[in-house]
Amino acid sequence: GQQLNQSPQSMFIQEGEDVSMNCTSSSIFNTWLWYKQDPGEGPVLLIALYKAGELTSNGRLTAQFGITRKDSFLNISASIPSDVGIYFCAGPINTGTASKLTFGTGTRLQVTL
Amino acid sequence: NAGVTQTPKFQVLKTGQSMTLQCAQDMNHEYMSWYRQDPGMGLRLIHYSVGAGITDQGEVPNGYNVSRSTTEDFPLRLLSAAPSQTSVYFCASSYSISAGIQYFGAGTRLSVL
């Protein structure tokens, strides 16, 4: 099936540091989504991107839709302990009658004080 | 603000037992889906539905059945549980059949012994 490759797989950072992660695909996507999953919870949408080259911010989070439409990037500035969790990229795949959402394997973020 | 509600939160089954994972949403969303989450695998789509009476297979449908008799409910059935179905299961819903932005439940943690 369609694969979204995320890197890094995991990150251990200190509070206050900036974080960068990315997601790549062999196919073009028309929408890129970034979700965060807190421990023991379901994923929650952080940012949605709809146009190649688009740069969108949500507080300390900034995401970009790559111009090739095959990648996307998420940056977190000045990390805090509550940023801990797993970050997933996702994109819809058109099946003809509907779309299915495919997810990357996630980037696990740990923040130390 | 109930959103997407999944029950039970935890379940232990013996191999060969059957059970139904319940999912209900109160947002009048047409699109609903089931995912399983395994370590290092991200979220994989099991089945999805674009409306009452319409269901389709996702990436990993074997061993699971679904039906959609109402807009609100989308139960997932395991007819004969196997240890390979030990996982965390998430239900999600979306206001758009393009499945771009989905809202997730808190998950059901299933162990099959």
Side-chain angles (χ1 to χ4, degrees):
Chain A
Q2 181 66 42
Q3 279 196 329
L4 294 179
N5 301 307
Q6 284 189 249
S7 66
Q9 285 189 331
S10 61
M11 304 180 73
F12 292 83
I13 63 169
Q14 285 194 323
E15 185 177 7
E17 289 184 355
D18 296 343
V19 173
S20 291
M21 59 188 79
N22 66 71
C23 184
T24 60
S25 171
S26 57
S27 300
I28 287 173
F29 279 85
N30 293 318
T31 298
W32 283 97
L33 306 167
W34 283 94
Y35 284 84
K36 183 197 176 195
Q37 184 179 26
D38 288 330
E41 300 291 331
V44 173
L45 183 69
L46 297 174
I47 294 178
L49 302 161
Y50 299 106
K51 270 201 278 192
E54 179 181 353
L55 191 69
T56 298
S57 293
N58 179 4
R60 293 179 295 105
L61 277 62
T62 301
Q64 184 163 22
F65 193 139
I67 58 172
T68 66
R69 294 161 69 188
K70 293 183 178 181
D71 55 12
S72 181
F73 308 89
L74 178 69
N75 296 314
I76 305 172
S77 63
S79 59
I80 59 178
S82 62
D83 291 333
V84 166
I86 305 176
Y87 292 79
F88 292 102
C89 62
I93 298 173
N94 193 345
T95 64
T97 55
S99 292
K100 299 187 289 188
L101 203 59
T102 189
F103 282 80
T105 52
T107 292
R108 184 180 295 271
L109 180 64
Q110 296 278 10
V111 180
T112 58
L113 300 177
Chain B
N1 290 341
V4 178
T5 302
Q6 290 184 238
T7 56
K9 290 192 185 303
F10 302 93
Q11 183 70 50
V12 179
L13 293 177
K14 292 181 181 176
T15 298
Q17 285 185 317
S18 63
M19 81 159 295
T20 299
L21 280 64
Q22 301 291 345
C23 176
Q25 52 93 7
D26 61 358
M27 297 175 281
N28 202 32
H29 287 169
E30 291 292 333
Y31 189 102
M32 295 185 74
S33 52
W34 277 101
Y35 297 86
R36 60 177 289 171
Q37 183 177 26
D38 302 295
M41 301 289 289
L43 290 151
R44 293 184 292 168
L45 183 64
I46 305 171
H47 285 285
Y48 66 100
S49 169
V50 299
I54 307 169
T55 64
D56 206 347
Q57 296 182 346
E59 185 184 354
V60 288
N62 293 339
Y64 308 95
N65 283 347
V66 292
S67 60
R68 184 96 179 270
S69 56
T70 67
T71 299
E72 293 77 20
D73 300 298
F74 190 41
L76 178 72
R77 297 184 189 85
L78 285 71
L79 297 179
S80 179
S84 61
Q85 294 179 303
T86 294
S87 188
V88 182
Y89 292 86
F90 289 100
C91 177
S93 73
S94 172
Y95 58 82
S96 165
I97 62 170
S98 65
I101 298 174
Q102 296 198 11
Y103 298 86
F104 284 81
T108 294
R109 284 144 187 83
L110 176 68
S111 292
V112 182
L113 306 177

